[in-house]
Amino acid sequence: MPQRRDLLKTVGIAATGLLAGCPSQGSSEPNTASADTEAATEQGTVAETDEGDESGVSVGPMTAVATEWNVYRARLYDAVALGRAGAPGAGATVAQSVFARFEGASGEYGAHEQLEATSESAYEGFEDALGTVQSSLSEGDVSEAASAADEASGHLQTAQQAAGGQQATRVLDLLVLGSRASNAATAGALGAFEAAAAIAEETTTAFEDALVYSQIEDADAESYEAFENALAGIGSAAGNEDASGVTEQARAALDATVTGAYALVQQEAVAGAGHLATMQARGWDAAALASAGGPGQAYAHTVTLNSYRARIADADWLAANDAADAASTAVENVFAHFEGANAHDALEEADGEAYEAFEGGLEDLSSAIESGSGDGIDSAAETVDTNLVTGIEALVGGEDARAALESAFFRARIADARELYRLGDADSAAAVVSDVFARFEENELGFHETMEEESEDLYHRFEEEHLVSLQSAYENDDSEAVATHHDGVQQALLDFEAALSTAVASGAEADYMIGRAFDATGLAALSETDRAATVIQDTFAHFESGAAGFHEALEEADEEIYESFESTLSDVRAAAQDGGDVTSAATAFNDEAIAAAYAIAGSAGGNGEAATAIVQDVFATFEEARVHEMLEEADHDAYENFEAALSDYSKGLTNGDGNPTRMADATRTGQFAVVGAVDSAPSGSGGHGSEESEETESSLSGGPNVVEGVPEDVDHVVDMEAVAYAPEELTVSVGDKVAWEHVGGEPHSVTAYEDEIPEDATYWASGGFESESAAREGWENGEGAVQSGQSYVHTFETAGEHGYVCIPHEAAGMVGTVIVEE
């Protein structure tokens, strides 16, 4: 039987036939009021019953709510666009952010409560589909995420029609299409031109299939043609890899939809509020771009490939030191890791010849080690390294990224030279340094030129002051000079990495530390266990000292991986000290170091300038827009707050700390003001602090084991964030006490999945319920809630896996696992 959490990724409401403005085949646009429409009518909005007659439509607070739903529709496609641009992790974060904001959109005219009141099926379908968008992007399945985004958008569109009428919905459909087109500019800023072209093509298809297609052609042929031409222009600019051209055409597409929106409706306020919602969506785009500006998944793939270079070099010197078994194991481990790595498919797709030559080189190296052929080992090792370099060049184009990887490789090789010297092989140590020097002069991976451009002083310090002198020191067997110039080379390389972006430097440092972990493996194989332990102790101290920002970046990106990284590195040292299996320990650490590179590459920001440009463009657009005067006349305070929020947001992005929440709240208030309902606008991002919010939370109860704060005697703490448990998976021992602490978002539950806990385990959940069904029913009655400042505490007495969920955020994929070990 499939597990419930797996069903979350696939379950959904049947398509409404209105996805992205498209009716189901053979259907016609409805022109009679449904039960959902009647519900909206009871709340003060009369849905139109005739496409061509808008006299029955009243513009008011529900119109503003409908425009706010449009922001959610636009952001769904933002998430998918990031996935298409090679940043699915950032896209998943956007989807999570959408869910968190939706959950907080309380109040009488909040987007959350009104969606539930307008259409229960649309509400449930939207949450389910949004959860699928997030989970699919988390797994890298962009196609499934795109389908789910269409479904979620369709559910919101159904509610918009009930709340604002058919023609208002067509206006909002057109504006969503404009927002989708503008995502091409985000892809272009990330250098993902194929994604930009795909976004334009998909938007064109959606436009041609939409009911608004013929309506806008009749209402404003000029805007219709301008939109189509701009979409074609995006494709052309993307084909030429012209980022500024993509941005220019994306802006033209969005402008065309705004102009067309005013032509579609008699009530100017509908188009004006919709335009403000589009500006809000663009503000969120800026935040998404800023967070997606790291080096990306491709860089993490190359970190993996680069780590193999040092490990293969280790195999070479192990074989030369009569440790053929250890050398063979090193090659076999590289092969085994590569077969299961994300970098495997990435390399095969990027350069099939390099992929095949790399694997063939590994096989030849294994054979040469087995036969004891020194020349064969050297030749095969060179083949492996050459094709790894080729693969790196095929996967990442950034000069800094490539150079950082070469710096990490040099650091690992220079460290190898020092170990060879300690083992009494000064000649081999000198040969290693000579090889590094030759690679530097050849400008392998662009390192020579990049370092020289970064800093002439650093370049001279690395090459002339230390690298050349280090080779001479080894050749002269001058231990004092070796120590001086070894440290000088390493510090120069570390300083170079520190001058780059933290995300890029972190990947390089992950590689260097992987190299040191496997150095410990080699040393242990040579019975140098004390030295192996010292190497890891020094590596740990290096990480704790910052490691070019790697330490802090990892802790911020993923605390669970950070903790596992430190734990597994400590395990390598312990294995060396205690005569344990150092190879297995180093392999486990390698997995965590690679995971760290992926975590940081996916979460790092680096496009602050481009993100700021988006907000500045919104500001400039507003100054010239028809809605500018409309908002100023409707409510001067709302107008001033909107402009101030935009200005502050722009400055924040420039300084690297832009928060879109105030901008979004001020824009939403503007949307309500333009339709004459500013007094109905929700306060704050989620209504927190309002009397209604306080009353709602005070009516909830926690039940047994829900306590204030976190008890001092707990063994583990899980943070309950807006829509996620952190860590999602936790390993504990029998008898350990775990506290789930509320640190963000609305009230949460901690509810065990009945079919995902050991058969002999006692059922557990916040609220003290004896079954899952009782816990779910209890939640409906306000029981089992963990609120701000509280935690739920449970002691695990039964070994095995315990799966659990947050009931109110189940659709967003807020699930967790506790693994209890004996």
Side-chain angles (χ1 to χ4, degrees):
M1 183 172 107
Q3 293 186 338
R4 193 184 311 267
R5 72 185 63 194
D6 296 326
L7 293 176
L8 287 175
K9 301 174 183 175
T10 56
V11 71
I13 305 297
T16 64
L18 294 170
L19 303 184
C22 309
S24 59
Q25 291 184 351
S27 69
S28 60
E29 187 170 12
N31 56 18
T32 58
S34 65
D36 290 339
T37 307
E38 291 169 2
T41 303
E42 290 173 3
Q43 296 169 56
T45 302
V46 181
E48 57 187 310
T49 59
D50 188 329
E51 242 178 75
D53 180 11
E54 300 187 74
S55 61
V57 180
S58 66
V59 177
M62 284 305 295
T63 309
V65 175
T67 65
E68 184 66 7
W69 288 330
N70 233 41
V71 178
Y72 292 101
R73 292 178 66 187
R75 295 186 69 196
L76 287 165
Y77 293 107
D78 293 348
V80 175
L82 287 168
R84 295 209 185 287
T93 299
V94 169
Q96 184 180 48
S97 170
V98 170
F99 203 106
R101 185 162 176 85
F102 180 68
E103 287 298 296
S106 58
E108 182 180 1
Y109 290 103
H112 182 283
E113 292 189 17
Q114 278 301 332
L115 182 59
E116 189 172 12
T118 300
S119 171
E120 184 73 27
S121 63
Y123 165 74
E124 293 177 354
F126 168 69
E127 286 204 332
D128 283 342
L130 177 55
T132 304
V133 172
Q134 180 184 351
S135 60
S136 298
L137 289 171
S138 295
E139 296 170 358
D141 190 340
V142 180
S143 179
E144 184 179 8
S147 296
D150 282 341
E151 183 177 345
S153 178
H155 288 301
L156 291 176
Q157 186 206 46
T158 299
Q160 287 174 326
Q161 182 160 305
Q166 294 173 3
Q167 280 303 97
T169 304
R170 299 290 79 79
V171 168
L172 298 176
D173 284 348
L174 183 62
L175 291 170
V176 166
L177 288 165
S179 292
R180 292 180 65 173
S182 69
N183 286 331
T186 299
L190 293 172
F193 294 105
E194 288 185 9
I199 290 167
E201 184 177 348
E202 290 167 358
T203 306
T204 299
T205 300
F207 179 48
E208 292 173 348
D209 290 342
L211 289 170
V212 74
Y213 181 78
S214 59
Q215 291 184 341
I216 186 60
E217 186 176 17
D218 293 339
D220 187 348
E222 187 174 340
S223 293
Y224 164 84
E225 291 180 3
F227 184 54
E228 286 205 324
N229 290 339
L231 290 173
I234 291 172
S236 297
N240 294 326
E241 297 191 356
D242 178 4
S244 61
V246 170
T247 298
E248 180 182 348
Q249 293 298 321
R251 167 68 184 276
L254 185 58
D255 288 348
T257 61
V258 171
T259 302
Y262 283 99
L264 281 172
V265 287
Q266 295 174 8
Q267 293 94 339
E268 187 179 54
V270 174
H275 190 194
L276 282 176
T278 301
M279 293 182 189
Q280 184 192 150
R282 291 293 287 148
W284 287 109
D285 285 351
L289 179 59
S291 66
Q297 298 290 312
Y299 179 64
H301 296 328
T302 59
V303 169
T304 304
L305 298 180
N306 201 53
S307 71
Y308 300 152
R309 298 176 68 200
R311 294 171 66 179
I312 292 304
D314 286 349
D316 197 343
W317 70 257
L318 283 168
N321 281 271
D322 300 321
D325 289 344
S328 294
T329 299
V331 177
E332 291 167 3
N333 283 353
V334 167
F335 212 136
H337 185 274
F338 179 62
E339 288 303 302
N342 292 328
H344 180 282
D345 291 347
L347 177 58
E348 187 173 16
E349 292 175 8
D351 192 321
E353 291 184 7
Y355 162 80
E356 291 181 0
F358 164 60
E359 288 204 330
L362 286 177
E363 293 174 357
D364 292 343
L365 183 55
S366 291
S367 298
I369 292 172
E370 185 176 351
S371 65
S373 170
D375 291 341
I377 292 172
D378 291 342
S379 176
E382 182 179 355
T383 297
V384 169
D385 186 79
T386 297
N387 285 284
L388 285 171
V389 169
T390 300
I392 290 169
E393 290 174 334
L395 280 165
V396 291
E399 294 178 356
D400 285 357
R402 291 178 177 181
L405 295 173
E406 187 78 340
S407 175
F409 177 67
F410 283 0
R411 280 184 23 86
R413 294 299 286 138
I414 293 298
D416 288 346
R418 187 69 179 273
E419 299 307 327
L420 288 167
Y421 185 68
R422 283 195 174 96
L423 292 170
D425 192 350
D427 290 342
S428 293
V432 169
V433 177
S434 176
D435 177 65
V436 168
F437 188 88
R439 291 172 186 267
F440 182 66
E441 288 301 300
E442 291 168 5
N443 195 36
E444 187 175 72
L445 289 176
F447 179 58
H448 185 291
E449 291 183 3
T450 304
M451 175 178 257
E452 191 171 10
E453 290 174 4
E454 178 61 39
S455 170
E456 282 278 350
D457 177 69
L458 190 60
Y459 161 73
H460 289 298
R461 179 155 56 93
F462 167 69
E463 182 185 35
E464 298 172 3
E465 184 177 347
H466 293 298
L467 188 61
V468 173
S469 299
L470 181 60
Q471 183 175 344
S472 298
Y474 282 130
E475 291 171 345
N476 297 326
D477 197 11
D478 184 343
S479 57
E480 184 176 346
V482 164
T484 298
H485 295 299
H486 169 86
D487 291 346
V489 167
Q490 291 287 19
Q491 188 60 53
L493 291 170
L494 185 62
D495 289 347
F496 168 73
E497 293 171 16
L500 308 176
S501 76
T502 301
V504 167
S506 295
E509 284 303 289
D511 265 350
Y512 169 68
M513 295 175 74
I514 289 170
R516 295 305 276 154
F518 283 105
D519 284 348
T521 295
L523 289 165
L526 297 173
S527 301
E528 297 283 338
T529 53
D530 288 344
R531 177 58 192 164
T534 299
V535 164
I536 301 304
Q537 183 174 342
D538 291 346
T539 303
F540 204 116
H542 170 64
F543 180 64
E544 289 298 306
S545 70
F550 180 30
H551 183 284
E552 184 176 356
L554 179 56
E555 190 170 12
E556 290 181 356
D558 193 310
E559 189 169 354
E560 183 178 2
I561 294 177
Y562 162 76
E563 292 178 354
S564 296
F565 179 92
E566 288 201 330
S567 176
T568 52
L569 184 57
S570 295
D571 290 343
V572 181
R573 181 178 60 185
Q577 290 175 330
D578 302 337
D581 189 343
V582 182
T583 299
S584 294
T587 301
F589 169 71
N590 174 72
D591 290 343
E592 294 303 325
I594 295 299
Y598 277 97
I600 295 171
S603 65
N607 273 319
E609 185 175 339
T612 302
I614 290 176
V615 179
Q616 291 173 342
D617 183 61
V618 170
F619 212 135
T621 299
F622 177 67
E623 290 301 306
E624 301 296 328
R626 291 169 65 174
V627 74
H628 180 282
E629 187 175 344
M630 294 166 61
L631 178 56
E632 189 172 15
E633 291 179 354
D635 191 288
H636 192 72
D637 287 343
Y639 161 78
E640 289 192 341
N641 287 336
F642 171 69
E643 287 206 329
L646 271 182
S647 178
D648 289 346
Y649 184 36
S650 177
K651 292 175 183 176
L653 286 169
T654 301
N655 297 329
D657 59 356
N659 187 332
T661 302
R662 182 180 169 225
M663 174 278 303
D665 291 345
T667 314
R668 181 182 58 195
T669 300
Q671 293 159 217
F672 276 82
V674 166
V675 299
V678 68
D679 291 339
S680 299
S683 60
S685 59
H688 294 296
S690 67
E691 293 181 6
E692 180 178 345
S693 176
E694 291 173 2
E695 179 182 354
T696 300
E697 295 205 3
S698 66
S699 65
L700 299 175
S701 63
N705 294 332
V706 174
V707 299
E708 295 299 322
V710 177
E712 293 183 359
D713 62 343
V714 299
D715 300 294
H716 309 274
V717 177
V718 176
D719 289 342
M720 293 193 288
E721 300 172 347
V723 285
Y725 296 109
E728 183 176 328
E729 182 176 288
L730 176 70
T731 300
V732 305
S733 300
V734 170
D736 280 0
K737 182 183 292 187
V738 179
W740 282 263
E741 181 183 12
H742 185 293
V743 298
E746 298 296 303
H748 298 291
S749 82
V750 184
T751 308
Y753 278 130
E754 209 159 34
D755 56 355
E756 293 187 30
I757 62 176
E759 290 185 4
D760 53 344
T762 301
Y763 184 78
W764 54 275
S766 55
F769 301 102
E770 296 182 355
S771 67
E772 184 179 343
S773 59
R776 291 181 179 277
E777 182 179 350
W779 178 264
E780 294 299 321
N781 295 324
E783 301 171 1
V786 185
Q787 302 178 60
S788 179
Q790 297 180 334
S791 63
Y792 164 67
V793 182
H794 178 70
T795 300
F796 287 90
E797 303 291 356
T798 308
E801 285 197 14
H802 297 247
Y804 64 96
V805 65
C806 174
I807 293 174
H809 303 127
E810 186 170 22
M814 188 170 175
V815 295
T817 303
V818 177
I819 301 172
V820 184
E821 298 179 340
E822 294 284 359

